[in-house]
Amino acid sequence: MPLPDTMFCAQQINIPPELPDILKQFTKAAIRTQPTDVLQWSAGYFSALSKGHPLPVKDRMEMPVATQKTDTGLTQGLLKVLHKQLSSKGEVEIPELEKKWKNLCLPTEKLRFILQLGDFKTKVEWMKFLALGCSALGGTINSALKHACEILTTDPEGGPARIPFETFSFIYKYLAQLDGEMCPADIESFLNSLKEQVELKKDGLIGVSDFLISAKKV
């Protein structure tokens, strides 16, 4: 049976006062993030919003990653979103990671590849997963470290992208050992040379330009 036609006047329609701003912020977030599946991403967005969790939203729009041989959907901006959502836990249950990954409309096969590469079973150590994600964006350890610095830094965009040397050292050593092309002695020698530079600056931080210059000398 068809519903009867109902006439409404402006006085009968109650618009929640917070609705316009919610929709405005949602629209801006969708434009900035450019999800491939708007409905899937929207579900994750409003779920996070209702719980007060970090939103699945990029800081800015991104250009395609030129260093990738194929378009995997994974970008530096999306890795940064995942870092904001999951890094505080240190270790993340794989089902939770899968949910966040799906809400960003990223391909499942790419996640499976990274999990297999890191030999993760039920949990992931977040910094190791981030390192592998950065490695997936570029073909070299140097490019992976550049992505990691730009994701982890608290410097303003366009700045030196500095991170604590301990964090840099952990990521470099992890990726270099997985790569297998450098012997442990060479890895330690390179890190020790960088550590000497960092100690001279006395801030405990290393930026992208610092390690790229040193890498050319190796």
Side-chain angles (χ1 to χ4, degrees), residues 78-141:
L78 292 176
L79 273 177
K80 189 170 184 177
V81 170
L82 288 169
H83 180 71
K84 289 179 179 179
Q85 293 181 312
L86 299 170
S87 62
S88 63
K89 299 185 177 183
E91 286 190 337
V92 182
E93 299 281 350
I94 287 180
E96 182 178 5
L97 172 58
E98 289 174 332
K99 184 176 181 180
K100 301 295 187 187
W101 188 273
K102 182 179 179 181
N103 286 339
L104 288 174
C105 313
L106 290 168
T108 302
E109 60 272 15
K110 190 64 180 179
L111 175 60
R112 294 300 178 201
F113 173 77
I114 296 175
L115 292 175
Q116 183 178 12
L117 187 61
D119 196 28
F120 301 119
K121 303 302 182 184
T122 59
K123 296 181 180 180
V124 303
E125 186 176 338
W126 178 252
M127 289 305 297
K128 288 183 177 180
F129 183 87
L130 179 68
L132 293 174
C134 289
S135 181
L137 295 178
T140 66
I141 291 179

Side-chain angles (χ1 to χ4, degrees), residues 14 27 41 43 51-52 58 73 77 79-80 88 102-103 126 128 135 144 148-149 158 173 182 188 191 197 206 213 217:
N14 180 31
T27 303
W41 175 82
K51 297 173 183 176
K58 292 181 183 179
L79 273 177
K80 189 170 184 177
S88 63
K102 182 179 179 181
N103 286 339
W126 178 252
K128 288 183 177 180
S135 181
C149 285
K173 188 178 294 187
M182 293 179 66
E188 291 299 330
L191 289 175
Q197 298 178 38
I206 181 169
I213 292 172
K217 298 178 182 178

Side-chain angles (χ1 to χ4, degrees), residues 141-156 158-169 171-172 190-191 193-199 201-216:
I141 291 179
N142 286 346
S143 62
L145 286 163
K146 180 177 181 294
H147 286 300
C149 285
E150 291 172 348
I151 289 171
L152 297 171
T153 189
T154 57
D155 290 332
R162 298 167 300 170
I163 64 174
F165 179 76
E166 291 77 10
T167 303
F168 175 91
S169 179
I171 294 174
Y172 179 85
F190 177 64
L191 289 175
S193 67
L194 284 177
K195 188 175 182 180
E196 291 174 1
Q197 298 178 38
V198 171
E199 289 174 344
K201 295 190 297 181
K202 299 181 180 180
D203 59 7
L205 301 175
I206 181 169
V208 171
S209 60
D210 297 326
F211 79 81
L212 287 180
I213 292 172
S214 297
K216 291 179 180 178

